[in-house]
């Protein structure tokens, strides 16, 4: 089992370019999350999806869109990248909806916007 | 506003010593308090977690102490080892949502 996979691992964009970060899981988990990690700020939730077909905003959703394509895949799109979106992006999954369960994180995508 | 404040930002401990990281929260709607460990270039991984109806949880060398009235919780790493060198994040889960609010992180270095 691969767990949670993310592509690409690294990406450099110019301001104004668009891109989609991909996340896939083979753990059959219902809920999926996108976080960004910045130095000194911990991880902040961008968007999440409690189940296939539903998405909701987190703490820092501005400048991002998401798609829960099916139970396995949850993508994050930057329509017009800005230098402030330079960060490490993590996808995570949670089993069984909203209970006392562990979130499993992918390896991250390191994004630089010039 | 839902916040979790973590301290210290960085910590250096000698091998065999005790590492202590503290967190404080402001919102009483949190119902689960995990600690995550992250090595460079990797995603965070769950280390240990506690529910608010328990004051202490121990797993091996790792212990969470939880003070509900003070809205504080801490991670103690006993007999710290160089392999424990990593970044540690406390977090709090918003009741009935599964959403996590993370602390700012603590970079731990254990010197041999």
């Amino acid at each position: 089992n691969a767990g949670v996979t993310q592509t690409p691992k690294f990406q450099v964009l110019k301001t104004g370019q668009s891109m989609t970060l991909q996340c896939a899981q083979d753990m059959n988990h219902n809920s999926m999350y996108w976080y960004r990690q910045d130095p000194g700020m911990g991880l902040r939730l961008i968007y999440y999806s409690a189940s296939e077909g539903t998405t909701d905003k987190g703490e820092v959703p501005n400048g991002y869109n998401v798609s829960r394509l099916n139970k396995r895949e949850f993508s994050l799109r930057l329509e017009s990248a800005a230098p402030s979106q330079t960060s490490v992006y993590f996808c995570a999954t949670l089993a069984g909806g909203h209970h006392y369960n562990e979130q499993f994180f992918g390896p991250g995508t390191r994004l630089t916007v010039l | 506003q839902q916040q979790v404040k973590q301290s210290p930002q960085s910590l250096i401990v000698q091998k065999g010593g005790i590492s202590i990281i503290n967190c404080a929260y402001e919102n009483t709607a949190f119902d689960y308090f995990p600690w995550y460990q992250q090595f460079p270039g990797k995603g965070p991984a769950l280390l240990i977690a506690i529910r608010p109806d328990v004051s202490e949880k121990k797993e091996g060398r790792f212990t969470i102490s939880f003070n509900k009235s003070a809205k504080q919780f801490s991670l103690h790493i006993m007999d710290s080892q160089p392999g424990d060198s990593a970044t540690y994040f406390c977090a709090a889960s918003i009741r009935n949502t599964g959403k996590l609010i993370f602390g700012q992180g603590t970079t731990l270095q254990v010197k041999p």
Side-chain angles (χ1 to χ4, degrees), chain A residues 46-57:
Chain A
I46 305 171
Y47 270 95
Y48 69 103
S49 170
S51 61
E52 183 179 351
T54 68
T55 60
D56 279 296
K57 296 178 180 179

Side-chain angles (χ1 to χ4, degrees), chain A residues 72-84:
Chain A
R72 287 188 65 248
E73 298 172 294
F74 188 36
S75 62
L76 179 72
R77 182 160 178 84
L78 287 70
E79 291 291 351
S80 179
S84 61

Side-chain angles (χ1 to χ4, degrees), chain A residues 4 15 23 25 71 85 109:
Chain A
V4 181
T15 297
C23 175
Q25 54 109 352
K71 190 171 186 178
Q85 294 178 304
T109 293

